[in-house]
Amino acid sequence: MSIGNSPEDERPFEDVSEEDRPSVSVGRALQQARIAAGLTVDDVSSATRVRIGIVHAIERDDFAPCGGDVYARGHIRTLAKHVKLDPAPLLAQYDAQNGGSRPAPTPAAPLFEAERIRPERRGPNWTAAMVAAIVVVIGFVGFTMVSGGDDGEATVAGDTEPTASPTPSPTTKTAKPVVPAPDPSDSAIAAAPQDKVTVKVVAADGPSWISAKDHNGKTLFAELLKKGEDKTFQDNSKIDLVLGDAGALDLFVNGKKIEEDWGPGTVERLTYTKGDPQAG
């Protein structure tokens, strides 16, 4: 007996003719296609990673648990593809029932709130420590230059012939310029080893919720990436990504930018391996 399925989920349904199909609701159409494919709600939830409760709610045409129109559209698209339905008519019907236009993207965090695994303790912020060290070095060099200047007497202008300037002290040293260290994430991309997979995500156009896992399924990152921030992930064989708003992100795999025309609010699940950038 499957957990999360009521008996009515498995009841046979009447065949719907082509001319009557527009009268079938979005949720009912998805439920009919799922049952016709011989799938349970558990099967669909496991394959698409959409929670069981949300699948039940969508099949009842209750989209409130989705967390907003952007995520409702994303779930409809994902479920429709899994049960072999064309998502375009369902999305058009959903838009017509919910204002007639595609909604603007909303923050991605609520959609994945229940899917989050407790974030692992993050390591030290080496970038901040590096910047602080550079500031200290520059301050020390500046102090040394000011305090170690020439001690020779100044020449005073007058009617007499000018005297020769004293010879500069041989102990005066010229400070070497301090070269800032490169950003750790840029270095990781530039020197991406061929025997590993390296993925960098940049929130270029707006915030987006990001989930990254290694080949063992261990969560490397599961948080909201704010606009202007970036994260780099590396594994020996595989990186699994979930992008809450792929349209707001720039994606680099093994040092190469992924050129994909993802629209605003698009939810993408991607896998990359050594030798990519081809989506897994």
Side-chain angles (χ1 to χ4, degrees):
M1 178 176 181
S2 297
I3 299 175
N5 295 284
S6 60
E8 64 180 6
D9 291 334
E10 315 303 332
R11 291 183 300 183
F13 54 91
E14 297 179 359
D15 186 26
V16 180
S17 62
E18 191 67 31
E19 59 271 15
D20 294 335
R21 184 163 297 176
S23 64
V24 178
S25 67
V26 174
R28 182 61 175 164
L30 290 171
Q31 184 186 50
Q32 289 178 350
R34 173 181 62 77
I35 296 174
L39 300 173
T40 66
V41 174
D42 279 344
D43 296 333
V44 173
S45 176
S46 298
T48 63
R49 299 183 184 177
V50 178
R51 288 180 290 138
I52 291 175
I54 292 180
V55 177
H56 276 301
I58 289 176
E59 290 188 353
R60 295 194 304 268
D61 292 299
D62 177 10
F63 300 98
C66 295
D69 288 341
V70 170
Y71 307 112
R73 289 171 56 85
H75 287 323
I76 291 171
R77 183 184 294 106
T78 299
L79 296 175
K81 288 181 179 179
H82 187 68
V83 297
K84 309 302 181 184
L85 283 181
D86 182 5
L90 298 179
L91 292 173
Q93 185 176 353
Y94 174 83
D95 290 342
Q97 293 172 353
N98 292 271
S101 62
R102 184 171 181 173
T106 55
L111 169 64
F112 299 97
E113 193 67 35
E115 295 183 9
R116 289 191 182 184
I117 299 174
R118 179 179 298 175
E120 297 178 4
R121 180 175 298 176
R122 300 174 66 182
N125 191 337
W126 294 113
T127 301
M130 189 176 301
V131 171
I134 292 172
V135 171
V136 171
V137 171
I138 293 175
F140 177 78
V141 171
F143 176 80
T144 302
M145 292 179 65
V146 171
S147 62
D150 291 342
D151 294 328
E153 296 178 357
T155 302
V156 180
D159 295 334
T160 60
E161 294 182 1
T163 59
S165 300
T167 304
S169 172
T171 58
T172 302
K173 296 182 180 180
T174 302
K176 294 183 179 180
V178 178
V179 180
D183 184 87
S185 57
D186 291 340
S187 299
I189 287 297
Q194 296 183 355
D195 61 341
K196 297 181 183 293
V197 54
T198 304
V199 177
K200 179 179 179 180
V201 183
V202 182
D205 298 326
S208 177
W209 191 91
I210 304 295
S211 171
K213 296 182 179 180
D214 64 11
H215 70 282
N216 291 320
K218 180 181 177 182
T219 299
L220 304 175
F221 185 79
E223 293 186 24
L224 183 68
L225 196 64
K226 297 179 181 178
K227 183 177 180 179
E229 294 183 341
D230 63 82
K231 284 291 178 183
T232 301
F233 312 105
Q234 194 173 81
D235 187 72
N236 291 331
S237 59
K238 182 178 71 170
I239 295 290
D240 291 321
L241 293 176
V242 179
L243 310 180
D245 186 357
L249 303 173
D250 286 343
L251 187 61
F252 300 84
V253 178
N254 295 326
K256 297 181 181 179
K257 185 175 182 180
I258 301 300
E259 301 292 347
E260 292 287 351
D261 188 16
W262 290 316
T266 302
V267 178
E268 292 291 337
R269 290 176 170 82
L270 306 168
T271 298
Y272 292 103
T273 59
K274 295 180 293 185
D276 277 337
Q278 292 295 327

